[in-house]
């Protein structure tokens, strides 16, 4: 079914002879980005998918899709990428390589903070109706309860502040979505991402033990990537009530890491016919952060009350899907050797 999208209160149900709204997705080829593209592709919009890599697109997309390959960290690259945008979904981030959430250094600062500075400058004051900006932040950027924040979370907080200031000045209509721990397989690329659940599933498939830097009592709220993508598209339809705020988006249910890891080990064992790998507590590495040992708050009730959004993929279902995919990938790799 073809859906139209509203960018706030004014309906954008265009006829065939009028321009479709232009939605720019920054970071479109990434783990979350490709899921957002898949979600937007069923709408009567024009999508400009901006990324350094190749963005996969659905073969039967309703939307018009432009693919724009550019390194947004390069000076001046962003202004052209967002020219004419009615809305921007800002997913681009630099997470510091293999140590994902620990991003630091010149490039991380440039991408995680500098892009937001460039974005509000590029968008500000050029349209009679300020464009919407929906920004992907992290639950770790919320209340810290005395825990020092990692560099990545600090950079996200700085970007949030820039967006709020631009919104208060009427340059953009900014919305911050603070996501809990996103996992799962993206619909288009099939990527499992680089998060903790993908990492531990890989380890279990390879027969390696699953390790924790604590006693396992630390909890996380795991949000499936398809539900996260749907939250971004939903936010576009509710800009007037969301703009200027930061909104927690998660499953609303926290689980202990030791329980999740044991479930992963059991699911892999069932698929492979091997005994479950052990789940072990080990000494934390030198680069461990205080946030690794506490449970961040992530209550999506306020966002759900405003938008009607709610998660649809139960954790057990998402884990089974993840395990099945990675076991199949391992078997395929083995056959090709």
């Amino acid at each position: 079914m073809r859906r139209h999208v509203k960018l706030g209160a004014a309906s954008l149900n265009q006829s065939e002879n009028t321009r479709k709204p232009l939605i720019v997705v920054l970071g479109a080829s990434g783990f979350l980005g490709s899921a957002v593209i898949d979600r937007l592709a069923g709408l009567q919009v024009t999508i400009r998918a901006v990324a350094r890599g190749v963005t996969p697109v659905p073969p039967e997309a309703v939307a018009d899709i432009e693919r724009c390959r550019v390194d947004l960290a390069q000076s001046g690259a962003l202004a052209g990428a967002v020219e004419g945008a009615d809305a921007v979904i800002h997913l681009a981030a630099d997470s510091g390589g293999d140590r994902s959430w620990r991003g630091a250094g010149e490039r991380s600062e440039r991408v995680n903070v500098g892009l937001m500075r460039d974005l509000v400058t590029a968008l500000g004051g050029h349209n009679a109706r300020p464009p919407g900006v929906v920004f992907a932040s992290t639950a770790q950027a919320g209340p810290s309860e005395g825990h020092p924040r990692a560099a990545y979370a600090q950079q996200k907080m700085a970007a949030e502040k820039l967006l709020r200031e631009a919104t208060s000045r009427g340059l953009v209509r900014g919305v911050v979505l603070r996501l809990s721990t996103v996992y799962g397989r993206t619909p288009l690329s099939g990527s499992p991402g680089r998060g903790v659940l993908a990492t531990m599933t890989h380890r279990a498939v390879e027969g390696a033990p699953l390790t924790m830097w604590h006693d396992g009592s630390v909890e996380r709220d795991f949000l499936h990537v398809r539900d996260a993508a749907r939250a971004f598209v939903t936010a576009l339809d509710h800009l007037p009530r969301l703009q200027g705020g930061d909104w927690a988006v998660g499953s609303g249910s926290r689980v202990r890491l030791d329980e999740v890891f044991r479930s992963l080990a059991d699911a892999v064992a069932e698929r492979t016919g091997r005994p479950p790998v052990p789940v072990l507590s080990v000494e934390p590495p030198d680069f461990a952060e205080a946030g690794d040992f506490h449970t961040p708050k992530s209550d999506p009730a306020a966002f759900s009350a405003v938008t009607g959004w709610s998660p649809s993929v139960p954790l057990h279902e998402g884990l089974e899907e993840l395990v099945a995919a990675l076991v199949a990938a391992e078997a395929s790799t083995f056959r090709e050797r």
Side-chain angles (χ1 to χ4, degrees), residues 5-329:
V5 66
K6 303 174 185 178
L7 299 181
S11 174
L12 290 173
N13 293 358
Q14 276 81 12
S15 70
E16 293 298 325
N17 296 321
T18 58
R19 183 181 70 87
K20 294 178 180 179
L22 172 60
I23 301 175
V24 176
V25 181
L26 305 180
S29 66
F31 173 57
L32 178 55
S34 60
V36 169
I37 294 296
D38 182 68
R39 189 74 189 177
L40 286 171
L43 306 180
Q44 291 280 17
V45 298
T46 296
I47 303 167
R48 184 179 296 153
V50 182
R52 283 192 299 168
V54 177
T55 301
V57 299
E60 299 180 358
V62 172
D64 298 327
I65 302 178
E66 308 170 6
R67 289 192 278 197
C68 176
R69 292 191 66 179
V70 63
D71 184 355
L72 292 173
Q74 298 297 317
S75 177
L78 187 134
V82 301
E83 184 177 1
D86 295 293
V88 177
I89 296 180
H90 182 0
L91 310 174
D94 187 285
S95 54
D98 292 338
R99 294 178 181 178
S100 58
W101 62 97
R102 305 170 200 286
E106 185 175 345
R107 181 175 175 88
S108 295
E109 179 75 19
R110 170 74 190 105
V111 173
N112 297 333
V113 184
L115 282 188
M116 181 62 78
R117 187 177 295 111
D118 291 351
L119 180 61
V120 297
T121 299
L123 295 178
H126 298 298
N127 299 313
R129 179 185 172 94
V133 177
V134 185
F135 175 54
S137 190
T138 170
Q140 297 284 356
S144 67
E145 300 176 342
H147 299 284
R149 291 183 175 90
Y152 181 71
Q154 292 176 20
Q155 291 166 0
K156 285 291 190 180
M157 287 182 66
E160 287 184 9
K161 182 179 178 182
L162 290 169
L163 183 58
R164 280 193 294 270
E165 289 173 349
T167 300
S168 68
R169 293 164 55 197
L171 302 179
V172 298
R173 295 178 290 160
V175 176
V176 172
L177 299 189
R178 289 180 174 167
L179 304 177
S180 63
T181 305
V182 181
Y183 79 102
R185 292 180 67 242
T186 57
L188 295 178
S189 68
S191 169
R194 296 185 299 171
V196 62
L197 293 187
T199 298
M200 291 301 161
T201 305
H202 275 296
R203 289 179 63 90
V205 170
E206 293 169 354
L210 310 187
T211 56
M212 304 176 295
W213 302 342
H214 41 69
D215 64 359
S217 61
V218 173
E219 295 177 328
R220 290 289 182 266
D221 179 338
F222 291 105
L223 175 67
H224 197 278
V225 65
R226 292 197 299 271
D227 285 331
R230 189 161 47 82
F232 281 90
V233 178
T234 299
L236 293 177
D237 278 338
H238 297 83
L239 282 171
R241 296 185 65 188
L242 296 175
Q243 69 183 53
D246 47 73
W247 304 85
V249 177
S251 73
S253 178
R254 298 198 301 256
V255 292
R256 288 173 55 115
L257 284 183
D258 57 355
E259 295 176 359
V260 176
F261 287 3
R262 290 191 184 100
S263 295
L264 274 178
D266 290 342
V268 171
E270 184 175 348
R271 287 271 174 181
T272 62
R274 301 192 302 256
V277 297
V279 177
L280 307 175
S281 293
V282 299
E283 287 296 317
D286 293 339
F287 58 80
E289 302 276 358
D292 296 320
F293 306 96
H294 85 280
T295 301
K297 291 183 177 179
S298 181
D299 183 356
F303 182 74
S304 296
V306 170
T307 66
W309 173 93
S310 61
S312 62
V313 183
L315 180 58
H316 69 87
E317 181 180 311
L319 291 181
E320 287 290 341
E321 179 185 82
L322 184 62
V323 167
L326 293 182
V327 169

